[in-house]
Amino acid sequence: MATPQGSSTQNNVAEALNSASFSPFHLKAMFASAMGFFTSAYDLFIIGTALVLIKGEWHLGAAEVGLIGSISLIATFVGAYVFGTLADRMGRKAIYGLEALLMTVGALLSAFAPDVTVLLIARVILGLGIGGDYPLSAVLMSEYANVKSRGRMVSLVFSAQAIGLVTGPVVALTLLAAGVNHDLAWRLMLGLGALPAAAVIYIRRTLPESPRWLARVKGDAVAAGKQLASFSLGTATATVQDKIVKQPLSRYWLTLLGTAGGWFMFDYAYYGNTISTPMIMSHIAPHADVVTSTALSLMVFAIAAVPGYFLAAFTIDRVGHKTLQMLGFFLMGLMFLLIGAFPLLTQSMGVFLVLYGVSYFFAEYGPNTTTFVLAAELFPVNLRTTGHGLSAGTAKVGAFLGALVFPILLHDYGLHGTLMITFFFALAGLLLTAFCIKEPAGKSLEEASGEDVVVPIRKNTPAGMTPS
């Protein structure tokens, strides 16, 4: 039978998705997913600027500052584990949108916090939502995508973090330049994070279930076929039932070491640096006020970080997902090494900003993007959100440690000693990537994860006999 022109009819749902054309549905899904990462970036990083004000208003010590700045990250670890596990068991759609609701509630409660205890509770709620957003948004986008543009589509979702990174300092500068009272200013900074999350709760609840999960985990070929035909506008259809996938997590321990371990190493460096950037700037320019240090942070993000995100999105499928991660770790780490080992380089504000900016560029054009993408590709469909959740959650333990100890390290060892330690984390991330991760670029999710490979079960047999 002839296939209609433009159709991507294949043997099963997975093959149909692998070659399905980019459609308006993908744009809707990308927007719904991307707004979560805009929110998470804004909420997680605005706290660094807000803390400069809160510290003065509430007379906080270094330990309290570190705890407020990092508590949402440890909650993110819990949220990623819990939501990731549930999504593999119950389906992606069953819980998609609930994490956006948690982000909304957490941001609003942060804005109205009367004391440290309530602020910590609010940041925990926020972190649970952000943690859930990582595996759900990443995996849904990867499972909707085709082979050719999967890396680009998932990376573009994550690149919304760049806009969130820039928006935070812009909001802070606007409020501070307008002379808004500091107590009101930090509350507005934190509360505005509720708006983008609230805007996509309904859209997320209306997105279809992943056809891959329906067909290959639940075994519901009829529902999978309907969802597939619906979002592809009838251009992708399946004619045969997919095989049910029941791979054990134990088979993927090396992959998990690479995705979770590499992401842990990166997030220690990245979140420690980013949340503490206003403090780092005060070390370089000790006489600068909060407006000046915030403006310098914005300059680094806008000039160095943002281009890295989008260049990664549009080159990742050509360069290679693993290759790009290794390149980013190497050059990011090199910048930390130069700053840490050669203090003379940072006596000039201009030289420091160039080196620090280059480290940010290669963080984005590298592991900040690729860790998110790789963890959504390398695990089988029955464990995909679990594997991503375990990876993202473990990463946020690293982020928690970075955000918690960076203020302490800066105080005890100075900027150079702190970034020298960070260099070794980047080196460890490079090695974990090199030895534990396989390159998934140009492969289908089924090939990249090896989910269709049947692993023979060995039976114990008496000596001298061979198994039948």
Side-chain angles (χ1 to χ4, degrees):
M1 180 182 293
T3 302
Q5 187 175 4
S7 172
S8 57
T9 300
Q10 301 290 333
N11 290 331
N12 57 40
V13 167
E15 291 172 349
L17 285 164
N18 288 334
S19 57
S21 301
F22 187 83
S23 71
F25 164 79
H26 290 108
L27 289 176
K28 176 183 176 181
M30 287 170 67
F31 170 77
S33 299
M35 288 302 285
F37 286 94
F38 171 89
T39 303
S40 66
Y42 179 90
D43 286 334
L44 287 176
F45 298 127
I46 193 64
I47 193 65
T49 303
L51 273 171
V52 176
L53 306 181
I54 297 171
K55 180 181 179 181
E57 293 290 313
W58 287 357
H59 309 291
L60 304 178
E64 289 175 305
V65 170
L67 185 59
I68 294 172
S70 60
I71 192 68
S72 59
L73 296 170
I74 203 67
T76 299
F77 146 79
V78 177
Y81 281 12
V82 171
F83 277 85
T85 302
L86 289 176
D88 273 333
R89 295 179 181 178
M90 301 170 59
R92 288 69 164 119
K93 179 180 171 61
I95 53 178
Y96 200 42
L98 299 182
E99 75 296 336
L101 178 61
L102 287 174
M103 285 191 277
T104 303
V105 172
L108 289 175
L109 186 57
S110 296
F112 291 99
D115 53 39
V116 171
T117 301
V118 176
L119 182 56
L120 288 172
I121 293 171
R123 299 292 294 177
V124 167
I125 295 171
L126 180 71
L128 290 172
I130 291 172
D133 199 44
Y134 271 82
L136 282 162
S137 290
V139 167
L140 267 174
M141 204 68 247
S142 71
E143 290 185 344
Y144 289 149
N146 59 40
V147 172
K148 183 179 179 181
S149 58
R150 185 180 66 244
R152 181 172 71 248
M153 289 170 65
V154 180
S155 296
L156 282 172
V157 166
F158 189 70
S159 67
Q161 188 185 80
I163 305 171
L165 271 173
V166 171
T167 301
V170 168
V171 168
L173 281 174
T174 302
L175 293 171
L176 293 171
V180 175
N181 175 274
H182 282 189
D183 183 66
L184 177 60
W186 72 257
R187 293 179 186 279
L188 289 172
M189 290 178 200
L190 300 185
L192 287 172
L195 297 180
V200 295
I201 293 173
Y202 174 75
I203 297 176
R204 288 185 169 196
R205 298 300 296 162
T206 62
L207 289 175
E209 180 58 270
S210 164
R212 292 183 199 264
W213 183 85
L214 285 170
R216 299 173 72 82
V217 178
K218 193 175 181 181
D220 191 341
V222 174
K226 288 180 179 178
Q227 299 284 29
L228 175 65
S230 175
F231 82 68
S232 68
L233 302 179
T235 61
T237 57
T239 57
V240 233
Q241 168 71 53
D242 291 64
K243 64 165 62 177
I244 304 299
V245 176
K246 294 183 178 180
Q247 292 287 1
L249 186 59
S250 58
R251 185 183 161 213
Y252 292 86
W253 69 267
L254 186 63
T255 298
L256 186 60
L257 179 62
T259 57
W263 205 345
F264 174 96
M265 299 301 170
F266 173 76
D267 270 14
Y268 169 87
Y270 187 74
Y271 281 81
N273 267 335
T274 304
I275 291 177
S276 297
T277 291
M279 300 176 200
I280 290 173
M281 294 304 173
S282 69
H283 273 71
I284 298 299
H287 302 296
D289 58 19
V290 65
V291 173
T292 302
S293 62
T294 302
L296 289 171
S297 303
L298 174 60
M299 183 171 69
V300 170
F301 296 152
I303 296 175
V306 173
Y309 279 100
F310 291 99
L311 183 62
F314 288 101
T315 62
I316 186 172
D317 289 313
R318 294 197 300 274
V319 174
H321 307 180
K322 173 182 176 178
T323 302
L324 188 59
Q325 180 156 306
M326 293 179 65
L327 174 68
F329 265 129
F330 175 75
L331 291 170
M332 179 186 76
L334 179 61
M335 296 305 106
F336 293 145
L337 177 62
L338 290 174
I339 296 172
F342 302 100
L344 287 175
L345 292 175
T346 59
Q347 289 184 358
S348 164
M349 172 65 81
V351 173
F352 169 77
L353 288 177
V354 169
L355 294 176
Y356 197 62
V358 171
S359 78
Y360 262 98
F361 175 82
F362 283 104
E364 320 309 353
Y365 189 66
N368 197 29
T369 299
T370 53
T371 49
F372 179 76
V373 175
L374 286 165
E377 300 176 305
L378 296 173
F379 296 96
V381 64
N382 66 306
L383 296 170
R384 193 162 287 137
T385 54
T386 299
H388 196 287
L390 288 169
S391 302
T394 301
K396 292 306 170 281
V397 176
F400 168 78
L401 291 174
L404 181 64
V405 305
F406 252 67
I408 300 169
L409 291 175
L410 284 170
H411 180 269
D412 293 346
Y413 298 102
L415 176 63
H416 306 292
T418 301
L419 292 186
M420 197 68 191
I421 294 170
T422 308
F423 158 72
F424 288 104
F425 277 81
L427 178 61
L430 174 63
L431 295 175
L432 284 167
T433 303
F435 293 107
C436 300
I437 289 178
K438 297 178 180 178
E439 178 60 73
K443 299 178 181 178
S444 70
L445 288 175
E446 294 70 39
E447 292 174 305
S449 66
E451 66 185 48
D452 289 333
V453 175
V454 178
V455 180
I457 300 175
R458 293 186 177 182
K459 297 181 180 179
N460 294 327
T461 56
M465 297 182 63
T466 57
S468 56

